[in-house]
Amino acid sequence: MLEIQQLRKEMPQVVEGLLRREYTFDEATFSELEAERKSLQVRTEELQATRNAASKQIGILKSQGQDTSGVMAEVAGVGDALKANEVALSALQDRLNSFLRQIPNIPRADVPAGKSADENIEVRRWGAVRSFDFAPKDHTDIGEVLKGIDFETATKLSGARFSVLRGQVARLHRAIAQFMLDTHTEQHGYTEVYVPYMVGPESADGVSSLAKFKDDLFKIEGRDLYLIPTAEYPVTNFVRDTIVDAKELPLKFACHSPCFRSEAGSYGKDTRGMIRQHQFDKVELVQIITPEKSTEAHEELTTHAEAILQKLELPYRKMLLCTGDMGFASAKTYDLEVWLPAQNAYREISSCSNFEAFQARRMMARFKNGAGKTELLHTVNGSGLAVGRTLVAILENYQDGDGSVSIPTALQPYMGGLSKIGAV
C-alpha cells in the first residue's frame, strides 16, 4: 500500500510512477475522499472546541452558583453531534483505506518501462543448452514412458490441471524439494518453517489486494479462509501487526508447501503437462529486512534461487521485468527462466521481488531503528524454486534416447545413489 502522505505531498510524481506501469490513478475519487475527510476533521475539531468551551463555562457557572442546565443541554447536543461525526469520519477512513489498498506499488526508477513480457530485459544467461542427437520429448511423454506422471487418473480424481506422480518420478519430485530446503537452510542461512495451507482474508490482503485478485484464489466453502497460492502469504504475515526487535533482523525463512491457484484468465494456456496447474509444490524464500538492506537482500535472494539451478546444471536466463509485467505489490522483479528443450524456449521457474515497504504498510509490520523510532520493514521474496517446474526441466534436459532420464549429480544422494531412472 502506498503512503497517503506521499499522495498528498507528491501527487504528480505518484501519478507519473503509476503511469509507467500502465495504471491510471483516480485523482478525482482521491480528491473527493480527501475533501470529505478534511471537512469531517474540521467539523470534529470545531465540535470539540465548542464542547471544551461549554465545559469551562459550566465550571464557571457552578462556581458562581448559577443555573447550568441550559449549557449542559448544549454540551449534550454537541456530544451527540460529535459522536455522529466521529462515526462518519471512521467510515470515510475505511473507504479511503479500501481505495488505497487497490493501488499497485510504484516501480523503482531502474525498472524498464514496458507494456508486456516482450519488453523484459535479459540480464544474463547461465549454462550451455544441450544439443540432442535425437528429437527431445516433452516431460509429458517422458513421464508416460517412465510411468511416472499420470494425468488421466488425476483428471478422474479432480479434473483438469492436476497430476498424479508415481514411483521414481514421485521420489525425484520429493528429492528436489528436500535438496532445495537443505541448500537454503545449510548454505544460505534461511530458517525452515512449516505453515498452514489456508489463510484468512487479513493475511491474503496483507501481501496483495484480496479485492482485486480474489478470483485467483480457492475459497473454502463456509469458512472465511483461502488456500494459499504461495507460502509467501502465511510466511510474510509472521510480522503482521508486529514491532520487530531490530536485533532480530534480517529474518530469513524457507518454506516448502503446496500452492493452489485457480488460474483464472489462463484458459487455453499450457493445458498440456505440468507447467500450469491448480496445485503444485514450491520452496518459497522470504526475507524481512530494514529499508537500507532491501536492495542488497533482493539481489542476494535472487542469487540463492539461481544457485539451485546452477547446482542442478540447468541452463537458465535472468530477466528484469518491465513495468507492465510486474506483480501488483512489486517495486522490482527478476524472473529466472529455465530452458525447456521440448518447447525450445526459456520458461519461468522463479520470480524474485522487492516490495520495499508496500506489504509492510498493509500489514503494519514495523521495527524500531537505532534512534528508537518506529519504521516500516521491507520485504523480499522469491521461489527457490517451483518444484514441479524443476522436475519438468530435469526430465527434459536430462532425458536420454532410450527413454531413460539421468539424475543430476546433486540429487543422487537424495535418490539413494540412483543415477538414472529407466523406462518401465
Side-chain angles (χ1 to χ4, degrees), residues 288-362:
I288 297 164
I289 63 278
T290 57
E292 64 272 14
K293 294 288 188 180
S294 67
T295 298
E296 176 186 340
H298 183 210
E299 298 294 332
E300 177 189 68
L301 183 145
T302 305
T303 65
H304 293 160
E306 289 182 78
I308 299 297
L309 289 165
Q310 292 174 11
K311 288 175 183 294
L312 296 176
E313 300 182 78
L314 292 170
Y316 70 92
R317 65 179 184 177
K318 177 181 177 181
M319 304 293 290
L320 173 59
L321 299 197
C322 71
T323 54
D325 198 32
M326 292 168 55
F328 171 83
S330 176
K332 182 178 180 179
T333 297
Y334 293 116
D335 272 6
L336 303 179
E337 299 179 347
V338 69
W339 177 254
L340 297 184
Q343 295 190 20
N344 195 37
Y346 289 96
R347 296 298 304 269
E348 178 196 337
I349 196 167
S350 174
S351 189
C352 303
S353 297
N354 184 357
F355 305 100
E356 297 187 335
F358 190 84
Q359 292 180 327
R361 188 172 290 109
R362 301 174 78 88

Side-chain angles (χ1 to χ4, degrees), residues 104-122:
N105 204 353
I106 297 173
R108 289 174 58 101
D110 57 343
V111 174
K115 295 183 178 182
S116 71
D118 294 336
E119 295 169 271
N120 294 340
I121 294 177
E122 184 175 313

Side-chain angles (χ1 to χ4, degrees), residues 161-177:
R161 296 190 187 275
F162 291 93
S163 59
V164 168
L165 303 181
R166 300 180 186 275
Q168 296 297 347
V169 173
R171 184 182 185 182
L172 178 58
H173 183 268
R174 172 165 54 90
I176 291 167

